[in-house]
Amino acid sequence: MDSAVVMERERVRITRRPACYLCGSPGDLLYANLSDRQFGIPGTWNFLRCSSEKCRLIWLDPTPVDDDIPRIYRYLRVTHQDHSRAERSSPLGLKKLLQVRDSYLALRYRFPGGERDWDAGRLTGVLAYLHPAKRADIDFPFRPLSGAPKGRLLDVGCGGGEMVRLMNLWGWQAEGIDFDPLAIENAKKKGLTVHLGSITDQRFSDGSFDAVVMSHVIEHVSNPIQFLREAWRILRPGGRLALATPNGWSLGHTVWKRNWIHLHPPMHLFIFNPPALAVVLRRAGFAQYFCWTEPRWADQAFVASRSISRWGNFDERLPQPLSLQALGWLMASVQWLGLRVWKNLGEEVIAVGIK
Ligand SMILES: [Zn+2]
């Protein structure tokens, strides 16, 4: 800890991370002097990329010291809305989209449970196939958990508990965990089983869960292997981890480079790629693991990255014009088509680990 940056409201100590967390190779400077583009968090940050061609992990340097990481999150204007970005910004309106989502889930995953019901309303689910980015969003974590025997499930970073609610409806006994007290209070009001804090302070028993789910969490933690080892410990043998994280090899990152929304300095400490994430799962103890990429939220990532490229920032509260959303849809569809040939260019890496 050789230097510190003073923030307006909080003091966050920083430390250098010159070598790769995964393989120890030196990092090459990828982007210099980036600042936060969404929440006004002070400070400038670099991203380094592992010099080993086999690894190519990307990481934040300097990086906040562990104890001060929670201070960064006090800058977020609104944490953990009840509905995902995709739903909030839908030009069709939330209700319609939810109907398509639920119908698609019923068609593909027998959601909310029981036998398939082929009434006309449910057939609107086929519309989800017209929007690859939103469909990939809806698919998580249904696709990674598909076929797994249902039991106790933990959603890490559960926010307001929407996924906990959905997983309960799907037949799991779902619980959530989050470090945001307001989000947890909100989820409790809905009668959901949720815990405040980090996965490590809960001291869950060994093997007490059948599934652990985390979306956009692993890139925020300073020791991802230790973090996933805790997920591994609380899973029963054969239990499943499902996670999603931005993909450093994505078409979005390739096109937008330093303006790519998912760099998110200083909140994103690591940007993984499929083989690098596989190394994390293996070292965390998972006997079997699969990583693939999907165009999840690729339309929204396009809109946000374009905004950063043009104006230097992105405010997700502002409504986006329909023409821009249509362009986002087009770019996501291009990505989806490209995935038929180049399997690693999806916006996000999805990983499944089996204990
Ligand atoms: Zn490396």
Side-chain angles (χ1 to χ4, degrees), residues 20 22-25 50 52 55-57 59:
C20 178
L22 287 180
C23 74
S25 304
C50 180
S52 162
C55 177
R56 291 299 193 217
L57 181 70
W59 66 90

Side-chain angles (χ1 to χ4, degrees), residues 284-335:
F286 288 92
Q288 282 180 281
Y289 42 87
F290 312 94
C291 297
W292 68 91
T293 76
E294 293 196 9
R296 191 173 183 239
W297 281 344
D299 57 331
Q300 297 296 303
F302 168 84
V303 170
S305 304
R306 181 179 171 276
S307 169
I308 292 167
S309 166
R310 295 207 163 180
W311 299 291
N313 60 54
F314 173 66
D315 187 343
E316 64 178 356
R317 296 168 302 180
L318 297 176
Q320 301 296 336
L322 201 56
S323 57
L324 193 55
Q325 296 203 35
L327 197 55
W329 168 83
L330 186 68
M331 298 317 287
S333 302
V334 167
Q335 189 177 104

